[in-house]
Amino acid sequence: MLVERDDWVDVFRELLPRDDWKDLVRLQVSQHSYPFEVKLLERPLKQNPNIHDLSDWTVRSHFIMTDAAKLDRLLEHLVIEQQEMATEAEVTLIIQKQGQGIVRVTNDCVSMYGVAYEELDDVGTEYENFFNAVLPHATFPVEVVFCGRDILENDDSIHVMTLHDSNWQAVFEEHVLHLLNRKEVTSRLFSKDARPTQQTLENFMSEFSLLMAYNFIVTRDATDRFGMLDHFCTNGKIAHFGKIDNGKTSFN
């Protein structure tokens, strides 16, 4: 598998059940040495159409962080309210070193630069590839977040499950297979065609293809090792977020 690092990887905060974006910030920062430049920006009333251009945003705060204790104190009291996906960001936290961004946090997303991610093999489904890559290295229990935002209505599109062993198929069959009976699925033109009499995990993978935008899988194991599969943000790749281990960050 080809491993890439020189890119941004985005994780929507809705996919972190406890909205623990501060953990991701610490993971990113732990890969680099101090000092860091930290800025807290506010969106102007008339935002630049280019959402990546922050040149006209108002700088609310600007710090130079020289050690982890100072950053922890900042994060402890910092509130960036969560908003739904696809909303316009109102507040942005930026941490950078020597002009290179390391991590950005907005109201709906955490963006991390330099996260290791791997190309998925073409064999099998996206789900199978993902779990085959993540679970052999995981420490159970593993929290799994499934999002079917491209298909399901927003108020019930995110489902959280726990794996106690590598049999992810059984957990999916128990907790999310029933989603095939939702009206959003049964009313789709594709689903009306030769619908099977018995729902299977294969049917689920076909209907909830992760090639569709806003369909996600995010995992977090007992040692805070993260994994993500999301075609929309990572272009069909698996991202390995680090785990904190004696102050160092390691990747699979």
Side-chain angles (χ1 to χ4, degrees):
M1 292 184 177
L2 176 64
V3 178
E4 300 283 353
R5 288 182 184 269
D6 297 330
D7 204 352
W8 288 91
V9 172
D10 301 323
V11 177
F12 284 106
R13 288 170 57 180
E14 284 191 272
L15 299 182
L16 301 171
R18 293 172 297 279
D19 190 27
D20 38 13
W21 59 268
K22 296 178 182 180
D23 286 353
L24 293 184
V25 170
R26 293 186 182 96
L27 286 170
Q28 280 297 96
V29 170
S30 68
Q31 301 176 66
H32 304 271
S33 59
Y34 284 86
F36 298 104
E37 184 180 10
V38 180
K39 292 183 179 180
L40 191 62
L41 309 180
E42 288 184 337
R43 179 173 62 89
L45 294 178
K46 294 183 178 180
Q47 186 176 9
N48 189 314
N50 182 359
I51 62 174
H52 299 292
D53 181 4
L54 303 175
S55 59
D56 59 350
W57 285 50
T58 301
V59 178
R60 182 202 293 180
S61 304
H62 186 188
F63 307 94
I64 300 297
M65 290 295 165
T66 56
D67 57 60
K70 291 183 178 179
L71 180 61
D72 282 339
R73 286 196 293 271
L74 171 67
L75 293 177
E76 180 183 357
H77 300 289
L78 181 59
V79 176
I80 301 178
E81 294 184 359
Q82 180 183 336
Q83 297 178 357
E84 292 184 355
M85 294 178 187
T87 59
E88 288 185 345
E90 296 179 355
V91 178
T92 295
L93 171 71
I94 297 177
I95 299 179
Q96 58 187 23
K97 185 176 180 65
Q98 296 177 340
Q100 172 59 61
I102 297 172
V103 59
R104 293 191 301 251
V105 181
T106 65
N107 300 96
D108 69 339
C109 187
V110 180
S111 300
M112 295 164 286
Y113 182 82
V115 170
Y117 60 88
E118 302 177 10
E119 293 278 2
L120 287 174
D121 292 337
D122 294 331
V123 181
T125 69
E126 302 97 334
Y127 292 89
E128 290 169 343
N129 286 333
F130 176 72
F131 285 111
N132 286 342
V134 168
L135 296 184
H137 307 283
T139 301
F140 294 94
V142 176
E143 186 177 70
V144 179
V145 181
F146 163 75
C147 178
R149 176 61 55 85
D150 190 59
I151 300 172
L152 302 177
E153 294 179 356
N154 289 358
D155 60 350
D156 190 23
S157 62
I158 297 176
H159 298 264
V160 182
M161 298 160 280
T162 301
L163 303 182
H164 295 283
D165 55 42
S166 59
N167 189 7
W168 62 271
Q169 296 93 334
V171 175
F172 267 50
E173 289 174 351
E174 179 180 357
H175 292 281
V176 295
L177 192 61
H178 67 89
L179 296 176
L180 286 172
N181 297 318
R182 288 277 296 268
K183 68 179 187 303
E184 302 99 309
V185 180
T186 58
S187 62
R188 294 171 68 218
L189 179 62
F190 176 77
S191 301
K192 289 180 179 179
D193 237 1
R195 285 191 61 81
T197 56
Q198 182 177 3
Q199 305 292 8
T200 66
L201 191 57
E202 185 177 355
N203 302 143
F204 180 88
M205 294 176 180
S206 176
E207 296 289 345
F208 290 94
S209 170
L210 292 176
L211 294 178
M212 290 184 285
Y214 299 111
N215 284 356
F216 302 86
I217 290 286
V218 173
T219 63
R220 179 180 186 174
D221 79 355
T223 62
D224 286 338
R225 183 186 288 112
F226 288 81
M228 182 179 74
L229 178 62
D230 161 31
H231 181 75
F232 184 69
C233 290
T234 63
N235 198 26
K237 299 178 177 67
I238 175 175
H240 294 289
F241 307 107
K243 67 171 182 177
I244 296 180
D245 183 11
N246 295 326
K248 297 180 180 179
T249 300
S250 61
F251 295 89
N252 297 326

